Amino acid sequence: MISITLYPYKTVCLNIKKKKDKFIITDKLELESYLDAFSLSDEDRLYMLFSEIERYFKEKQSILYFVIPDHQFRKVLFDNYTKQNDSAEEIKQWISENKNFDINLNEYYYSLPMHISSQSTNIKTLYVIDKSTVDFLLDMIKRTNNILVSLEPLSYAALRGNCDFKNESTFIEIDNEYTEAVSFETNTGIFKNTMPELAGRTLLESKSPEYDVHQGIANIDLSCRDNFEDINGSSFFIFADDKYKKYLSSDEINIRKGIINLEAIGKYVNSYIEIDIDSLPGIGTILQIISAEDKSFFEPKCHVADFYSANILPEDAISINKILSYQLKLKKILKISMAASALLFALGFFVNMIFSADTIPQSLTNDFKTAKNKIAVIKEEEDLISKAHTESEDIPTLLNKIVSLKPANNQLGLTKISIGNKGKSNNKNNDWINLSVRAANPMVCKDYMDSLATVDEFADVSIVQINNNTNGGKNAKYQISKFGVNDKKKGEK
Amino acid sequence: MNLFKNLPLFINRKLTIYIVLTAIMCGLAVGVWIKVGMTYKQSRDIKLQRENMIATVDKYNVLAAKINKEAYRPVEKTQINNVESNIMMMLQMNNLNLENFKPSLQQMNSKKEKNDGELYDLTFIGTWSNTVAALTNWHSKDALIGIKYLDIQPVDNIDIPQAVKTTIQYKIYTKDSSKKEDKNVSSKNSRQTKNT
């Protein structure tokens, strides 16, 4: 949303976003005054204004809230409301029939921002503006593809923007040719004073501007004095060009200068810019969204007055622009959704490519096929080698040991050897190896037995028989047993 | 709020295009992520499969390296005759006289024994030293041969003084790789180490 406040001396544009229940002022643009462009329906200048806004805020389509000085309204009227209810038809009839107003509704738009009701009074305040000016603005905004939601008077928007309904305030708008003072008094509501003696040009030409200002303030106080609750009078909020402000810096005015109620504003608004007096109407006109939803927003001391929106746009335009603003919001949501979807799609596509690239290399497939087919054969080979060690005798080793341990000088000769049991497994057995030897001396047979007993592979070595042979020597038979699978070998604990 | 009255104003051509495009993009995004889910599952399966394949190939390589270090290995059944010839030649070279050679009756009676090799009974005569020399070097190239039984007895022989008669029972271990290998596989194995 962009609020545009048209001052006689400048134009203030605020970019405001709604986030949950708060408004965020993200940016501010100050331009030269385009008030004349509005009041004179200058197409080119208005087009320039919208171009500047589009260029600065980089939004091709914006929802706009306009604020214009009170002087731009043809009339501000009030009178007793004589109808029974507040229907649109009844109000129209009341305005048309009221001779004090003298308003032709074919030529004017109106808004009813305030209603004072008590047992004795039932008064409505009426803002009126030329239809042609507003219609031209609506048409221009439509042509520039923007959406106008509201058009409010400056004083009313500033009052709402300051969020202070407990202190009495006067909003003074000074232009070259006019000065308007709109007072918010706690007992009765809003008073508007037009003071030509305080107009900018008058002050410049005056011989005693300080006196004129003093006199103007006295007139404001005089017009509202019966309604003051604060004995010192209301605070002043002055909207004026710098060249006029020097006349409005007297001690009298400085003492009564209004304070921007930042604490109360902060309840509804977060701002990235410094909030000054010229920003108040722009903030206030946006806050009509909250004030319309939350009746406690105003919390006025003025118990007799009810405040409403001062939006003077016609009902049809409000209705259509509301739809267009919903449409714009939906378009933004769709754009964001589309961008997010496109991003997700691209990301998904990329991730999918990464996962898809995960394949098994052909070389590995070939290796695996070969390994899978050959591993069984190799395993079989391994089993066979293991089996061969288990079920066969290590003949070379055993023979080497049996032969090498023989005593030297042919004192002992081997005659028979048998290793293993034919047809039996080579598990533990007592007659694993049978040896027959021939020797001259029986002690040699005994020594050979002792030598054999040192061999690690032999569990037990014993001489089973010694007898005489025909040559006068001795024949001896040895039996060597084998370790069982679970037996501890020699040297093992 | 006359939303329904102004519905044609609300749903204009541009908004319709936005809605359609957004729906298409959302659909595409959802579709691509469903596809990502499927591809991820496939990728996970492929990763698991690849790890299993690598493990199998590594296991094979370790086993093959271990087998390749062995001095003696089972031979193909078709190579048995060569092995026998080598044994006969070895006997001849050691001046040992072959007396008896036959397949073992034990194997003929046992179905189990036939699966992993051929069992033979062999008897030969020669000098003690020749016999010991032959037995301590009992092999035929790299064929896996296991001696199950050995018996050496003195024997009277007019040609050989102090002759001994040796009876052995030995087994030539055989493998039957042709049954287990996939005949369709013909590709070269780049990762595998030297094998059979």
Side-chain angles (χ1 to χ4, degrees):
Chain A
M1 295 171 286
I2 295 170
S3 71
I4 302 167
T5 309
L6 300 178
Y7 293 104
Y9 47 93
K10 67 176 171 184
T11 302
V12 175
C13 307
L14 300 177
N15 192 13
I16 302 175
K17 297 190 185 306
K18 191 164 191 283
K19 199 171 183 183
K20 292 182 180 174
D21 55 347
K22 273 205 170 184
F23 292 97
I24 318 288
I25 305 174
T26 57
D27 208 354
K28 178 180 174 181
L29 169 66
E30 285 196 358
L31 299 168
E32 60 178 304
S33 175
Y34 282 89
L35 184 58
D36 285 350
F38 167 76
S39 58
L40 301 173
S41 298
D42 186 335
E43 185 177 336
D44 294 339
R45 293 261 299 145
L46 280 175
Y47 186 78
M48 273 175 63
L49 170 64
F50 296 129
S51 300
E52 292 269 9
I53 289 169
E54 183 186 324
R55 192 162 54 86
Y56 186 79
F57 293 117
K58 296 180 176 63
E59 294 277 359
K60 284 189 175 176
Q61 192 174 25
S62 301
I63 296 170
L64 305 178
Y65 286 72
F66 261 78
V67 179
I68 52 174
D70 290 52
H71 186 72
Q72 294 296 319
F73 290 82
R74 179 61 59 132
K75 291 174 180 173
V76 180
L77 305 161
F78 63 91
D79 205 346
N80 267 317
Y81 187 63
T82 53
K83 300 293 178 183
Q84 293 299 314
N85 57 55
D86 285 352
S87 71
E89 285 307 313
E90 293 266 50
I91 289 169
K92 270 185 187 176
Q93 203 179 6
W94 171 66
I95 295 168
S96 303
E97 288 171 355
N98 195 319
K99 288 178 182 174
N100 292 334
F101 291 169
D102 190 21
I103 292 171
N104 181 358
L105 287 180
N106 293 325
E107 295 174 11
Y108 299 107
Y109 291 128
Y110 65 91
S111 68
L112 299 156
M114 191 175 71
H115 186 193
I116 299 166
S117 59
S118 65
Q119 285 184 336
S120 56
T121 56
N122 187 11
I123 298 170
K124 281 188 188 295
T125 303
L126 197 68
Y127 275 72
V128 180
I129 196 167
D130 287 341
K131 265 188 175 182
S132 58
T133 319
V134 177
D135 286 345
F136 185 79
L137 182 67
L138 279 168
D139 185 50
M140 269 303 296
I141 284 175
K142 192 179 175 186
R143 275 190 280 159
T144 52
N145 209 26
N146 290 303
I147 300 160
L148 180 62
V149 170
S150 167
L151 178 63
E152 281 198 313
L154 191 150
S155 61
Y156 201 80
L159 172 66
R160 194 196 286 121
N162 203 33
C163 299
D164 180 7
F165 311 102
K166 290 179 180 170
N167 296 304
E168 297 177 326
S169 316
T170 295
F171 301 91
I172 302 171
E173 306 161 22
I174 299 178
D175 188 15
N176 292 338
E177 308 300 337
Y178 65 86
T179 288
E180 300 279 0
V182 182
S183 299
F184 167 75
E185 306 301 343
T186 53
N187 286 329
T188 47
I190 294 172
F191 283 83
K192 181 182 171 190
N193 287 295
T194 303
M195 297 180 294
E197 68 275 16
L198 284 185
R201 200 180 303 278
T202 312
L203 284 175
L204 285 177
E205 290 169 356
S206 172
K207 289 177 182 173
S208 53
E210 289 82 4
Y211 176 78
D212 293 341
V213 170
H214 173 77
Q215 203 58 36
I217 291 167
N219 287 340
I220 293 168
D221 288 343
L222 189 66
S223 68
C224 325
R225 68 179 175 186
D226 294 340
N227 305 306
F228 281 159
E229 190 166 88
D230 186 343
I231 197 163
N232 295 318
S234 58
S235 303
F236 293 131
F237 291 87
I238 300 164
F239 301 95
D241 194 350
D242 289 342
K243 65 186 175 186
Y244 301 133
K245 278 186 179 170
K246 64 182 178 185
Y247 301 116
L248 300 157
S249 57
S250 65
D251 291 344
E252 186 183 4
I253 290 182
N254 284 340
I255 288 168
R256 293 177 62 180
K257 212 166 197 177
I259 296 165
I260 297 173
N261 193 2
L262 291 172
E263 190 182 337
I265 295 169
K267 275 174 68 182
Y268 306 102
V269 176
N270 285 339
S271 178
Y272 293 125
I273 59 154
E274 189 185 348
I275 296 174
D276 58 9
I277 188 165
D278 289 333
S279 305
L280 279 185
I283 295 169
T285 193
I286 297 284
L287 287 180
Q288 68 181 286
I289 297 169
I290 287 181
S291 66
E293 293 166 357
D294 181 6
K295 294 294 176 193
S296 67
F297 177 81
F298 285 103
E299 289 180 359
K301 270 189 177 178
C302 181
H303 303 295
V304 293
D306 290 326
F307 294 91
Y308 305 98
S309 168
N311 185 4
I312 206 159
L313 293 178
E315 198 60 41
D316 283 352
I318 291 173
S319 185
I320 289 169
N321 287 341
K322 215 166 190 177
I323 283 175
L324 291 175
S325 66
Y326 286 141
Q327 190 189 60
L328 182 63
K329 283 175 188 171
L330 183 60
K331 270 186 198 170
K332 280 186 179 172
I333 291 168
L334 288 172
K335 269 185 188 174
I336 292 167
S337 305
M338 212 189 304
S341 300
L343 195 69
L344 277 174
F345 176 78
L347 189 68
F349 190 76
F350 179 68
V351 172
N352 194 50
M353 272 175 61
I354 291 172
F355 285 139
S356 298
D358 203 0
T359 55
I360 297 172
Q362 190 57 42
S363 59
L364 178 61
T365 308
N366 294 340
D367 288 355
F368 173 72
K369 280 181 181 173
T370 310
K372 194 181 170 191
N373 286 299
K374 288 194 173 176
I375 203 162
V377 178
I378 296 214
K379 192 82 178 68
E380 186 198 7
E381 278 196 49
E382 190 194 28
D383 291 346
L384 284 175
I385 291 167
S386 176
K387 190 179 177 186
H389 287 307
T390 312
E391 67 183 16
S392 304
E393 304 299 350
D394 188 3
I395 296 298
T397 307
L398 295 175
L399 264 182
N400 268 332
K401 289 191 173 172
I402 288 167
V403 172
S404 64
L405 288 172
K406 276 198 318 171
N409 302 325
N410 286 328
Q411 293 178 60
L412 182 141
L414 288 165
T415 54
K416 293 181 186 174
I417 300 175
S418 76
I419 301 173
N421 290 341
K422 202 173 183 181
K424 293 181 184 175
S425 71
N426 67 341
N427 283 340
K428 179 180 180 179
N429 51 61
N430 293 328
D431 57 347
W432 175 40
I433 298 174
N434 289 299
L435 287 179
S436 293
V437 300
R438 189 170 48 203
N441 187 343
M443 283 313 290
V444 174
C445 299
K446 173 71 173 63
D447 290 345
Y448 184 48
M449 185 192 79
D450 292 342
S451 297
L452 289 172
T454 62
V455 175
D456 289 345
E457 285 83 354
F458 301 158
D460 186 42
V461 183
S462 58
I463 299 174
V464 293
Q465 188 182 10
I466 296 181
N467 53 21
N468 295 327
N469 61 27
T470 53
N471 298 327
K474 299 292 179 187
N475 286 335
K477 285 187 180 177
Y478 298 84
Q479 215 166 53
I480 301 172
S481 65
K482 187 179 188 180
F483 284 106
V485 176
N486 298 321
D487 289 349
K488 286 183 178 177
K489 303 284 189 301
K490 288 174 184 173
E492 286 182 1
K493 290 182 179 176
Chain B
M1 174 61 179
N2 299 318
L3 181 62
F4 290 106
K5 184 182 154 192
N6 293 305
L7 202 60
L9 183 74
F10 183 72
I11 311 249
N12 60 11
R13 190 163 166 261
K14 204 171 178 182
L15 188 68
T16 310
I17 291 169
Y18 271 114
I19 291 169
V20 170
L21 283 177
T22 307
I24 290 170
M25 283 313 298
C26 284
L28 284 172
V30 169
V32 85
W33 279 100
I34 289 171
K35 174 77 177 152
V36 165
M38 288 161 63
T39 315
Y40 171 70
K41 193 175 174 300
Q42 280 174 4
S43 167
R44 205 179 47 185
D45 292 346
I46 286 172
K47 192 182 170 192
L48 203 65
Q49 196 184 349
R50 190 172 53 219
E51 283 171 359
N52 287 338
M53 288 167 87
I54 289 171
T56 304
V57 171
D58 287 348
K59 187 181 169 188
Y60 168 75
N61 286 338
V62 168
L63 212 54
K66 186 183 169 190
I67 291 292
N68 283 331
K69 282 183 187 169
E70 294 288 341
Y72 303 108
R73 296 175 50 185
V75 295
E76 299 286 347
K77 281 192 171 174
T78 53
Q79 294 176 309
I80 282 187
N81 287 339
N82 290 339
V83 176
E84 288 302 342
S85 301
N86 288 336
I87 289 173
M88 296 305 146
M89 256 163 66
M90 184 185 67
L91 291 179
Q92 211 171 357
M93 282 167 68
N94 285 293
N95 293 320
L96 297 168
N97 296 331
L98 177 66
E99 191 162 274
N100 186 27
F101 171 72
K102 61 181 179 185
S104 173
L105 283 172
Q106 187 186 333
Q107 187 178 34
M108 288 178 178
N109 297 332
S110 168
K111 202 173 180 180
K112 189 183 168 191
E113 289 285 340
K114 286 182 183 176
N115 288 336
D116 52 9
E118 298 293 330
L119 198 62
Y120 296 98
D121 291 329
L122 174 69
T123 306
F124 55 87
I125 295 172
T127 62
W128 179 263
S129 57
N130 286 343
T131 302
V132 170
L135 288 172
T136 52
N137 196 23
W138 191 266
H139 67 89
S140 167
K141 295 187 179 172
D142 64 347
L144 182 64
I145 302 170
I147 299 173
K148 299 186 83 173
Y149 170 72
L150 167 72
D151 182 55
I152 303 173
Q153 297 281 344
V155 65
D156 292 331
N157 190 303
I158 50 170
D159 298 327
I160 307 167
Q162 292 184 336
V164 288
K165 179 180 173 183
T166 305
T167 304
I168 63 169
Q169 188 180 58
Y170 67 92
K171 186 174 180 180
I172 303 169
Y173 289 90
T174 58
K175 60 183 176 183
D176 193 6
S177 54
S178 60
K179 284 183 185 173
K180 290 174 183 173
E181 280 194 44
D182 184 356
K183 289 174 184 173
N184 295 327
V185 177
S186 58
S187 55
K188 296 284 181 189
N189 187 346
S190 59
R191 285 175 61 86
Q192 94 188 66
T193 55
K194 183 169 76 83
N195 190 21
T196 54

